[in-house]
Amino acid sequence: MTSATRTAPPDPRTAAQAQATRRPRRERQGPAYVFLTPWMLGVGLLTLLPMAVSLYLSFTDYDLFNAPRWVGLRNYVEMFTEDPRYWRSVGTTLLFVVVAVPLKLVLALGVALLLKGMRRARGFYRSAFYAPSLLGASMSIALVWRALYNDGGTVDGVLESVGIHTGGWVGDPDLAVFVVALLTVWQFGAPMVIFLAGLQQIPTDLYEAAALDGASRWRQFVSVTVPMLSPVLFFNLVLETIQSFQVFTPAYAISGGKGGPADSTNFYTLYLYERGFSDSHMGYASAMAWVLLLGIGAVTVVLFKTSRSWVFYQGEEA
């Protein structure tokens, strides 16, 4: 065999360089896991472990004082077939979501459009409209809201001055749920800011081209603004829907923690709280919590599935 046909031995320097380049990557993974440890401990101890315990308790009879007793699917069967208040709470929550979410998004988008067209004091008005969202779902704000809409409150007095006698929204079973909805709609600052950021990203060339084609303001809004803003609209829709299913503090404050009158403000989370902590049926409350989780997950999946037909992302092919 000639020297020309011999296979050259591997260069030890090349192998050493390759090993040197691989070693720092493995060495960098160690500190990464160290920094991730607090987060992983938090997720494990504060989220995953409580969820696992809650799932177990949903199959037990647990009253917070005695050891849990395994009952299988009895909590779920009672929930779906033997508890009419449960289904009333589901209906009340769905009504709240259907009313509050669209109104909040429409109001937030409308104010964002107004702020986009402003030239002076935009920062002031943006801060003023966002301020109610900073208050959050606090008990103090909910109590003030209850006083406004109660019998003899400010809203009742204004309506009576124009000949409309309601006797207070809080005490009316047909209007009490709308008091909670209006409080949620009033705090539209967060989606408004997101809408405003999305509106500022829409190229002005599109509006100029639509105007040259003779499109009116409404046609520009429908054909340019809505399609270009659809990803932001979808994001706000999903976020607000999930939050609306979990409403608790406003309903608790406005109803006095009883879900009244006539269970008109007995939202799902409020009824869950009542069964778990007032009635000491923690197993039943755990089952309700898991049904709520699955329900929110199902609604979110439906929103994602249906978004393919109306959400437009820049850069994707038509």
Side-chain angles (χ1 to χ4, degrees):
M1 181 179 294
T2 62
S3 59
T5 59
R6 292 178 182 175
T7 303
D11 189 353
R13 291 177 299 177
T14 304
Q17 291 175 356
Q19 184 177 4
T21 56
R22 289 194 300 267
R23 186 179 304 162
R25 294 180 181 178
R26 291 196 298 266
E27 291 176 354
R28 285 196 297 267
Q29 291 178 357
Y33 285 116
V34 172
F35 286 111
L36 284 174
T37 298
W39 178 84
M40 291 187 292
L41 289 176
V43 171
L45 296 178
L46 302 179
T47 303
L48 298 180
L49 181 60
M51 288 181 65
V53 174
S54 174
L55 181 60
Y56 167 74
L57 292 178
S58 69
F59 298 101
T60 65
D61 182 12
Y62 181 46
D63 59 2
L64 296 175
F65 303 102
N66 301 307
R69 183 171 58 88
W70 183 268
V71 294
L73 296 175
R74 193 183 75 181
N75 289 326
Y76 294 93
V77 173
E78 179 183 352
M79 185 190 314
F80 293 134
T81 62
E82 303 174 9
D83 190 353
R85 293 193 67 201
Y86 170 80
W87 288 112
R88 284 198 295 270
S89 70
V90 172
T92 301
T93 304
L94 290 176
L95 175 61
F96 171 80
V97 173
V98 171
V99 172
V101 173
L103 286 178
K104 188 174 185 178
L105 295 183
V106 169
L107 184 59
L109 179 57
V111 174
L113 289 170
L114 292 176
L115 291 177
K116 181 190 176 185
M118 294 183 62
R119 293 294 180 265
R120 297 181 178 179
R122 180 192 297 181
F124 169 77
Y125 286 106
R126 182 170 52 189
S127 302
F129 284 120
Y130 185 75
S133 296
L134 295 176
L135 302 175
S138 62
M139 183 67 71
S140 58
I141 297 300
L143 291 175
V144 171
W145 205 261
R146 173 188 171 94
L148 289 174
Y149 285 88
N150 212 342
D151 187 11
T154 303
V155 176
D156 186 41
V158 171
L159 291 177
E160 285 188 354
S161 65
V162 295
I164 301 176
H165 303 281
T166 61
W169 291 32
V170 175
D172 191 335
D174 297 327
L175 298 176
V177 65
F178 297 104
V179 177
V180 184
L182 289 175
L183 174 56
T184 303
V185 172
W186 175 64
Q187 297 176 319
F188 63 89
M192 178 206 68
V193 171
I194 297 174
F195 276 136
L196 185 59
L199 288 171
Q200 293 174 346
Q201 299 301 317
I202 300 177
T204 57
D205 298 345
L206 298 178
Y207 293 105
E208 294 175 357
L212 290 176
D213 291 338
S216 62
R217 289 292 183 90
W218 173 252
R219 176 52 58 184
Q220 292 179 28
F221 174 76
V222 173
S223 301
V224 178
T225 304
V226 172
M228 297 300 294
L229 201 64
S230 57
V232 178
L233 178 61
F234 174 66
F235 174 80
N236 278 332
L237 176 62
V238 173
L239 198 63
E240 294 299 329
T241 301
I242 293 174
Q243 292 179 350
S244 295
F245 274 106
Q246 303 176 67
V247 61
F248 175 78
T249 303
Y252 184 90
I254 291 174
S255 67
K258 303 298 182 180
D263 282 345
S264 59
T265 57
N266 192 27
F267 291 89
Y268 196 101
T269 53
L270 188 58
Y271 187 50
L272 187 154
Y273 173 84
E274 177 185 337
R275 294 305 304 267
F277 294 96
S278 298
D279 300 339
S280 298
H281 291 168
M282 189 57 67
Y284 191 92
S286 299
M288 287 185 62
W290 276 94
V291 172
L292 177 62
L293 174 64
L294 295 177
I296 293 176
V299 172
T300 304
V301 169
V302 171
L303 291 176
F304 271 91
K305 292 292 185 181
T306 56
S307 68
R308 299 175 182 175
S309 61
W310 62 275
V311 178
F312 170 77
Y313 293 97
Q314 296 187 38
E316 70 176 4
E317 297 181 358

